[in-house]
Amino acid sequence: MSGLANCVAAAWQPGIGDPNATGWLTVLAYLLCFALSAKVWLKLHGRRGRAFWGLVALLMLALAVNKQLDLQSALTATGRCLAQAQGWYDHRRIVQVAFVLGVLGLMFLALLMGLRALRGQLWRNGIALAGLMVLCSFVAVRAIGFHHMDALIGSHGFGVSTNYLFENVGLLLIALNALWILRRG
């Protein structure tokens, strides 16, 4: 196992993953979404939808930490090292496709569970649920590490990376939904 640990350590080091301005702005956006989600969670005491916003708050905090530690890169490095150590690196595409299908299946299952849990409240929480799906898709694409997908999200448009736009659209949807709930009283 130390060979695997050495391989991963050579490919990934904990540290600031996105030290530029857009990286730190995204971390601030995650923390803002955490704070807004926590406020909604507190406001909905004893009402339907509270568990959803509690989960959103916890996820936003975890993703804020992940944004700078780049933990999905550690997952990618671990998969690459395992593939090389076990001799199936040349056939890694099959495993990547299976992983993508598994992640998509889990996301679909989470969406169904979210829709069921928010039954009757979807009109109030649907925008945040859509934002979560955008974020989960983004994290999944980053964790998988397909080179052509990395090239797509690394491209630039409107003066910023597609990566930044994709991630922050999800955060914006969550923040807007939380603000709407907080202002509705």
Side-chain angles (χ1 to χ4, degrees), residues 134-171:
V134 169
L135 277 178
C136 289
S137 299
F138 170 78
V139 171
V141 166
R142 291 293 309 230
I144 293 162
F146 282 135
H147 295 296
H148 48 282
M149 291 303 283
D150 289 340
L152 172 67
I153 63 175
S155 64
H156 283 70
F158 307 109
V160 293
S161 72
T162 307
N163 180 20
Y164 177 76
L165 292 174
F166 188 30
E167 188 169 18
N168 282 279
V169 163
L171 293 169

Side-chain angles (χ1 to χ4, degrees), residues 33-77:
C33 284
F34 163 72
L36 290 170
S37 299
K39 282 185 84 166
V40 171
W41 178 77
L42 288 170
K43 180 181 179 168
L44 294 178
H45 184 70
R47 294 194 314 201
R48 195 169 186 140
R50 186 170 199 248
F52 171 76
W53 284 100
L55 288 172
V56 171
L58 291 174
L59 186 60
M60 293 302 102
L61 187 57
L63 288 173
V65 171
N66 176 65
K67 178 66 181 167
Q68 290 305 50
L69 291 181
D70 203 20
L71 297 174
Q72 71 273 6
S73 294
L75 177 66
T76 301

Side-chain angles (χ1 to χ4, degrees), residues 85 92 103 131:
R92 69 189 177 280
V103 168

Side-chain angles (χ1 to χ4, degrees), residues 16 18-29 67-68 160 164 168:
I16 303 300
D18 238 346
N20 55 27
T22 57
W24 285 109
L25 283 172
T26 303
V27 170
L28 289 175
K67 178 66 181 167
Q68 290 305 50
V160 293
Y164 177 76
N168 282 279

